[in-house]
Amino acid sequence: MTLQTPDHDEAHGGGLGSRLNWLRAAVLGANDGIVSTAGLVVGVAGATDERGALLTAGLAGLLAGSLSMAAGEYVSVSTQRDSEKAALAQEKRELATEPQAELIELTQMLEGKGLDAQLAREVAEQLTEHDALRAHAEVELGIDPDALTNPWHAAGASFLAFTVGALLPLLAIVLPPAAYRLWITVVAVVAALGLCGWSSARMGFAPVGRAVLRNVGGGVVAMGVTYAAGSVLGAVGV
């Protein structure tokens, strides 16, 4: 019988985890850039239609947000990477000092995944002979030693994604005439959030409708709340 390659687009391989980490950082950065900057400039627009005030507020929000996202992502991913490296170092020490106990542990974990005892032992021995540390890292720790998270990559992706996302509502609020800028901003933000939700769902093989509704709904609520607050403050002269 001739085996045929499956005809589908399901993701396989160790690169999926890295891809999803990049996707997570990019989606979070873009969403935050769009929503937070849109909420900021729409809130200011509720109080004043002066283009200079809108531009100042939008630029300040863009710079503060992009740097904050990058710093937060760097700290978070650095902590994760440190934990991964510490776990690998401990596993390496255990393999050097207690190889037989580690082989038994690997066998038991493979049994827990559904292999019978004899087959689990054979697989554990072959994996250990090939690369003991990698075998324990992947089976026991769920870590790919060759694909540890990179804090600089995550920080850069978040910074860039936030900046790109924030530019859309900023340009939409300052470029059009005063009579149309609010509605143009709302439409642009809704479209961008819908596209962001659709693309993230497609790349992550997740349901599209739910992702789009989450993105658009959150953005609309944020703009509505900040515009109402800006209108109240503008009306009382604050």
Side-chain angles (χ1 to χ4, degrees):
M1 181 177 63
T2 302
L3 295 178
Q4 295 182 346
T5 301
D7 184 17
H8 53 64
D9 59 355
E10 181 183 357
H12 294 280
L16 178 61
S18 177
R19 175 185 179 185
L20 292 179
N21 281 334
W22 276 83
L23 175 61
R24 176 184 62 85
V27 169
L28 284 176
N31 278 353
D32 201 11
I34 294 170
V35 174
S36 62
T37 305
L40 178 61
V41 297
V42 167
V44 176
T48 178
D49 60 357
E50 184 181 344
R51 179 175 277 111
L54 294 170
L55 179 61
T56 300
L59 283 176
L62 185 154
L63 291 173
S66 60
L67 292 173
S68 175
M69 281 290 295
E73 195 69 18
Y74 178 82
V75 170
S76 174
V77 176
S78 292
T79 301
Q80 179 183 344
R81 184 182 178 89
D82 290 344
S83 298
E84 291 172 341
K85 292 173 70 174
L88 289 173
Q90 179 178 348
E91 196 64 38
K92 188 174 182 178
R93 288 194 299 270
E94 292 174 351
L95 285 168
T97 58
E98 301 178 318
Q100 192 61 32
E102 289 297 299
L103 178 61
I104 294 173
E105 183 181 35
L106 182 58
T107 301
Q108 292 173 343
M109 286 186 291
L110 291 172
E111 286 186 57
K113 292 181 179 293
L115 300 182
D116 62 56
Q118 181 178 350
L119 180 58
R121 178 73 179 198
E122 293 176 359
V123 172
E125 289 175 347
Q126 291 186 30
L127 290 175
T128 299
E129 182 179 352
H130 176 69
D131 191 331
L133 180 59
R134 175 178 293 278
H136 282 267
E138 294 180 348
V139 177
E140 181 179 349
L141 305 175
I143 297 174
D144 183 351
D146 295 330
L148 298 182
T149 52
N150 189 311
W152 288 108
H153 289 170
S158 293
F159 179 88
L160 181 60
F162 187 100
T163 300
V164 171
L167 281 173
L168 185 138
L170 176 59
L171 295 177
I173 202 74
V174 299
L175 293 182
Y180 305 106
R181 61 172 56 127
L182 181 60
W183 291 110
I184 289 176
T185 301
V186 171
V187 171
V189 167
V190 168
L193 289 175
L195 178 61
C196 188
W198 176 85
S199 61
S200 65
R202 291 290 295 171
M203 293 177 67
F205 303 96
V208 171
R210 191 181 307 167
V212 171
L213 286 176
R214 280 198 301 259
N215 279 16
V216 172
V220 169
V221 169
M223 288 187 291
V225 170
T226 56
Y227 181 77
S231 298
V232 170
L233 293 174
V236 299
V238 177

